[in-house]
Amino acid sequence: MGEGKKQESLGRVIKGLSTLFENYGSVHLNFGQPLLISKFLARNSSDLTSKIEEEKENKKNLVKLGDTIVQSIASSRVILTTEIVSSLLLIKRRMSFKELLEEFDMIRKDLLRRKIKIGFKHIEDSTPEIQN
């Protein structure tokens, strides 16, 4: 079944490194603000006397922490135009090109109104841009 492992060599490593310099398209990488859990818990915890109340408070804090993390991730997300077009084509299989453009523009405007970043490429050049 399958091939045996090929012998590693310096030549194969150098040849493999050349793949790092090939063009694989655009990558959007965003880092949100760091979230220090110790500060989050200090801000959201209170003095409790009962063990049951403390467990309930811990669960509540965990849910708040999860919400904070998800909101942070969502706020740094870039939605690509290909994602929008793919979604439209999957949802509405029979649409004209004009309808596709109208739906796309409506979604684009809604995302920008909600301050969600959209990544797109101009046809004239190959430089990706992010629309805020």
Side-chain angles (χ1 to χ4, degrees):
M1 286 205 207
E3 296 180 22
K5 185 177 181 311
K6 293 186 178 180
Q7 185 67 30
E8 294 178 11
S9 68
L10 182 59
R12 286 183 53 87
V13 170
I14 292 171
K15 184 178 178 184
L17 286 175
S18 67
T19 60
L20 294 176
F21 299 103
E22 292 181 23
N23 185 1
Y24 293 102
S26 301
V27 175
H28 295 276
L29 184 62
N30 290 325
F31 294 96
Q33 293 295 319
L35 175 64
L36 298 175
I37 294 176
S38 58
K39 285 185 179 179
F40 179 86
L41 292 175
R43 202 173 50 234
N44 290 293
S45 63
S46 60
D47 295 329
L48 300 172
T49 56
S50 166
K51 184 73 173 161
I52 295 172
E53 287 179 13
E54 188 175 325
E55 286 179 14
K56 286 180 182 178
E57 187 71 20
N58 286 340
K59 287 180 182 179
K60 196 166 70 172
N61 284 336
L62 188 59
V63 169
K64 283 182 186 177
L65 177 61
D67 288 344
T68 302
I69 291 170
V70 169
Q71 288 172 1
S72 175
I73 291 169
S75 69
S76 63
R77 167 112 165 67
V78 175
I79 296 180
L80 302 177
T81 54
T82 52
E83 293 175 86
I84 298 170
V85 171
S86 298
S87 297
L88 284 171
L89 292 174
L90 285 171
I91 293 168
K92 300 181 179 187
R93 294 183 186 266
R94 294 183 182 191
M95 71 170 39
S96 68
F97 186 67
K98 181 182 176 189
E99 290 171 323
L100 178 66
L101 290 176
E102 289 170 354
E103 291 283 334
F104 176 86
D105 194 48
M106 184 179 67
I107 291 172
R108 182 187 65 81
K109 286 177 181 174
D110 182 54
L111 292 171
L112 292 174
R113 180 183 55 77
R114 294 189 293 160
K115 298 185 182 349
I116 296 174
K117 297 174 188 163
I118 302 174
F120 66 97
K121 261 189 182 178
H122 287 289
I123 295 173
E124 303 88 42
D125 62 19
S126 61
T127 307
E129 294 187 15
I130 295 179
Q131 200 172 40
N132 290 330

